[in-house]
Amino acid sequence: MVVDVCIIGGGMAGASVAYFAATHADVVLLEREPHVGYHSTGRSAALYAPQYGSALIRRLTAAAGAFLDSPPPSFADAPLLARRGFLTIGGASQRGALEQHEAVARASGRTTLERLSGTEACALVPSLRAAAVDWALLDPTAQDLDVEALLQGFLRGARARGARTLTDHGVTALQRTANGWRVRTAQHELEARVVVNAAGAWADETAALAGIAPLGLVPHRRTAFIFDAPESVPIARWPMVSDAEELFYFKPEAGRLLGSLAEEVPVPAADVQPDDFDVATAVDRIEQVIDFPVRRVLRSWAGLRVFGPDRDPVSGFERDAPGFYWHAGLGGYGIQTAPAMGEFAAAMILRRDLPAVIQDTGVEASALAPARLRR
Ligand SMILES: Cc1cc2nc3c(=O)[nH]c(=O)nc-3n(C[C@H](O)[C@H](O)[C@H](O)COP(=O)(O)OP(=O)(O)OC[C@H]3O[C@@H](n4cnc5c(N)ncnc54)[C@H](O)[C@@H]3O)c2cc1C
């Protein structure tokens, strides 16, 4: 098989690139697992949070907003976004964090944060203990994001444009050819003009298959779990609640609550499992700010957030390996930035002009290029 573009990795990163690239190129996507979205993509907190992450991430998140808000007809059966809100709460000893949050928002050129008093925050989330909330910041523009619908929408759209998705196809070897790359899996060998490394936590390992030095992309474990509020507590309209120093968060999720310690533990790439101690610590911290006990953890899981040395994503060609394109290091923002990042990557791969939605953000290709991490 000979294709224009071979994408390695069937998570949100690979799927979004496949969707946008398939309009102009012959695309195949290879996923090692039996199902797409099995790793980080299937384990997220499913939030679109415009006031989260670096200034670069915030611009890319804003750029993705138009697509998520109003996807093309027949992309998804239901809206991808749903009203949620993001409430950052701080105690008296965390006053310093308030100015810091506001300064980062200002620096990104977007100030959708609203200052709330502790009383106003407790009016939004009546189960918050008044003594635990000295101040709060509300981002009313944060929304729940239907991750599965977005992933399947990208893949369905890519298929409609002729792309093929092959699961159970782990790439085991990459070899440079005169016109691009020879890609080997256990079952197949194919040739591609461009190889896209969207292998998430395995991106550095995948580059090594091609003899390319690692960029220093490190997977970090984050644990999440589901618990119930008492039946008498109406939680559906609560915003996501996050500690000022990200020591925990919780948010409504399908009639229940999703909690997390919001930890970042560097670990080797693997099918990570939740750590019971992290779950217990998060429960303890959440119980310190809400007025009901967490009686039972119904389900817990862990996933990987992958960061490079400067914590911003990588999307660009490897300078000394023609046809090898990195699309990785998406940290805790790979879902909310996916439409913008996917469209950016497709334009770069196909050597087309950057789409207006990216140009309008003022984000330069050099800010995402792997070369910045090689210096
Ligand atoms: C607890 C948690 C909460 C999060 N919450 C949010 C959130 O609210 N909003 C948000 O935007 N982001 C969130 N994230 C981050 C988000 O999940 C990631 O940024 C995103 O899923 C990364 O997508 P990806 O495609 O790069 O990685 P993945 O989904 O991990 O996909 C990479 C794929 O590559 C495959 N692969 C690897 N090597 C090979 C190979 N050699 N051959 C073939 N296939 C290969 C893997 O099997 C995997 O399926 C969260 C993450 C976690 C863990």
Side-chain angles (χ1 to χ4, degrees), residues 272-295:
V272 275
Q273 299 303 313
D275 183 317
D276 288 346
F277 185 73
D278 289 343
V279 175
T281 307
V283 165
D284 182 53
R285 290 180 184 171
I286 290 170
E287 284 181 332
Q288 287 175 34
V289 302
I290 54 172
D291 62 5
F292 58 82
V294 176
R295 293 217 180 278

Side-chain angles (χ1 to χ4, degrees), residues 229-265:
E231 266 178 35
S232 57
V233 178
I235 56 167
R237 293 173 68 91
W238 285 7
M240 173 153 161
V241 177
S242 174
D243 170 70
E245 293 165 276
E246 246 199 310
L247 298 175
F248 63 83
Y249 65 73
F250 55 92
K251 70 177 278 247
E253 180 72 26
R256 307 195 129 139
L257 288 166
L258 180 159
S260 175
L261 184 60
E263 83 278 20
E264 281 188 8
V265 183

Side-chain angles (χ1 to χ4, degrees), residues 51-281:
Q51 297 291 349
Y52 188 50
S54 69
L56 176 71
I57 287 295
R58 291 175 193 217
R59 287 199 202 114
L60 292 164
T61 302
F67 185 100
L68 295 171
D69 205 30
S70 177
S74 78
F75 184 88
D77 297 334
L80 295 170
L81 296 175
R83 186 193 144 110
R84 176 58 57 210
F86 190 115
L87 185 71
T88 304
I89 57 168
S93 64
Q94 293 173 305
R95 275 262 153 200
L98 169 62
E99 273 92 47
Q100 219 174 325
H101 280 287
E102 288 181 327
V104 179
R106 267 197 308 277
S108 72
R110 278 160 242 282
T111 46
T112 52
L113 293 182
E114 297 169 11
R115 254 191 211 210
L116 301 188
S117 65
T119 312
E120 288 167 324
C122 292
L124 273 182
V125 183
S127 295
L128 283 173
R129 292 176 196 276
V133 190
D134 183 57
W135 57 269
L137 286 171
L138 175 69
D139 179 10
T141 67
Q143 305 195 56
D144 279 342
L145 208 172
D146 189 334
V147 178
E148 186 61 15
L150 181 63
L151 180 70
Q152 295 303 338
F154 280 142
L155 291 172
R156 203 172 34 247
R159 270 196 302 275
R161 296 164 179 182
R164 280 153 290 177
T165 301
L166 303 177
T167 50
D168 271 324
H169 275 65
V171 173
T172 53
L174 288 168
Q175 194 187 352
R176 185 99 188 86
T177 65
N179 301 318
W181 294 88
R182 182 166 301 123
V183 182
R184 200 166 306 141
T185 72
Q187 304 90 330
H188 265 82
E189 189 169 288
L190 61 92
E191 300 217 358
R193 200 169 50 75
V194 174
V195 159
V196 179
N197 179 4
W202 293 267
D204 269 350
E205 281 176 31
T206 301
L209 296 176
I212 294 169
L215 287 176
L217 300 173
V218 180
H220 290 73
R221 187 187 67 227
R222 178 164 284 192
T223 303
F225 54 93
I226 299 291
F227 62 102
D228 276 332
E231 266 178 35
S232 57
V233 178
I235 56 167
R237 293 173 68 91
W238 285 7
M240 173 153 161
V241 177
S242 174
D243 170 70
E245 293 165 276
E246 246 199 310
L247 298 175
F248 63 83
Y249 65 73
F250 55 92
K251 70 177 278 247
E253 180 72 26
R256 307 195 129 139
L257 288 166
L258 180 159
S260 175
L261 184 60
E263 83 278 20
E264 281 188 8
V265 183
V267 290
D271 187 356
V272 275
Q273 299 303 313
D275 183 317
D276 288 346
F277 185 73
D278 289 343
V279 175
T281 307

Side-chain angles (χ1 to χ4, degrees), residues 8-15 30-33 35-49 52 145 169-172 198-203 206 209 220-224 249 260 301-306 327-337:
I8 304 171
M12 195 61 84
L30 305 176
E31 166 54 48
R32 182 165 51 202
E33 301 290 348
H35 306 289
V36 291
Y38 176 76
H39 287 289
S40 301
T41 295
R43 307 177 189 206
S44 86
L47 196 76
Y48 173 78
Y52 188 50
L145 208 172
H169 275 65
V171 173
T172 53
W202 293 267
T206 301
L209 296 176
H220 290 73
R221 187 187 67 227
R222 178 164 284 192
T223 303
Y249 65 73
S260 175
W301 67 93
L304 296 172
R305 299 158 84 245
V306 183
H327 193 69
L330 294 151
Y333 329 99
I335 312 294
Q336 65 183 37
T337 58

